[in-house]
Amino acid sequence: LSVWDGTAEIWTHGSGTETDPYLIESAQNLAWISEMVNSGVTEYMNTYFKLTTDIKIDSTFLWQPAGFDGSHYFMGHFDGDSHIVILYLTSNMEYLGLFGNVRGGSICNLNLFGKLKSYSSSSSYIGMCGSANYEFIKNCNNYCDIEMAYSAYAGGIAGRALRSTLTNCSNYGSIISVYGGGYYGYYGGVCGVGTKVTIDKSYNVGDITCSNSSCSGGIIGLVNASSHSTDTTTIANCYNT
């Protein structure tokens, strides 16, 4: 188990290709991805990463997910290799999760534990990935509890998904909106809100608690309609308990 000490350190193994991915051997290596993405470095676009150890990120230091706002994206391919990441994060960031804003890549074989808590007074996107855009997510399991105080898009795997595919994913964590009337939200076990998203072979067993002004669902909170007739959302082979 690698415990994050608040620093970032570049990896020393791998070349970033699909057959020879960069090896993420510590929490500091994982933090380096976030630091590079959030600094505007683009050299790691469409490169491959593989996690080799379990990681713990507690509240001692403030984790800033890769793609912490609407201008920065993680655009690589991340293989968790069935490892566990434990994350405790309380913040008012717009994109809240292990990954924040992801686009055009993939995340697979990852298990997330801990708790995500948002106190942002404006809309926030919360999940293992805060927002997934043109993304492929496979074999990911969320055990992390999610709590928000105001308006939010929240899902165990993705708070918001656009033209993305989520397959063989699950949510065991609770999703709770602690404030009531006047604050809307979109809460789903797997995905909070989706536009032209495919969710397949996925399920939710976590509790979802929200105000009556919100949209919620076991698999997805809201299917966002598109103006294009060919844009459809597909949910297949899924269940909620």
Side-chain angles (χ1 to χ4, degrees), residues 43-98:
E43 66 178 278
Y44 299 118
M45 291 172 54
N46 201 35
T47 54
Y48 290 79
F49 304 86
K50 186 175 183 179
L51 188 61
T52 67
T53 185
D54 295 340
I55 285 175
K56 183 177 182 181
I57 302 167
D58 61 29
S59 57
T60 304
F61 305 98
L62 180 62
W63 177 255
Q64 190 173 74
F68 71 106
D69 63 12
S71 302
H72 298 81
Y73 299 88
F74 172 70
M75 301 177 71
H77 303 275
F78 188 89
D79 180 1
D81 198 31
S82 299
H83 284 289
I84 291 169
V85 176
I86 304 167
L87 172 63
Y88 290 93
L89 176 59
T90 299
S91 175
N92 64 348
M93 285 183 283
E94 183 180 6
Y95 295 85
L96 198 65
L98 182 62

Side-chain angles (χ1 to χ4, degrees), residues 156-227:
I157 304 300
R160 177 180 66 181
L162 170 66
R163 297 176 182 263
S164 295
T165 296
L166 291 70
T167 185
N168 290 324
C169 294
S170 67
N171 176 64
Y172 291 83
S174 63
I175 300 174
I176 301 173
S177 174
V178 296
Y179 285 175
Y183 296 104
Y184 68 92
Y186 306 102
Y187 313 124
V190 176
C191 178
V193 61
T195 303
K196 199 179 182 183
V197 62
T198 296
I199 304 175
D200 185 35
K201 298 182 179 68
S202 300
Y203 61 91
N204 172 62
V205 297
D207 292 332
I208 301 173
T209 306
C210 59
S211 68
N212 57 14
S213 59
S214 301
C215 298
S216 63
I219 302 300
I220 189 168
L222 174 71
V223 175
N224 197 16
S226 170
S227 60

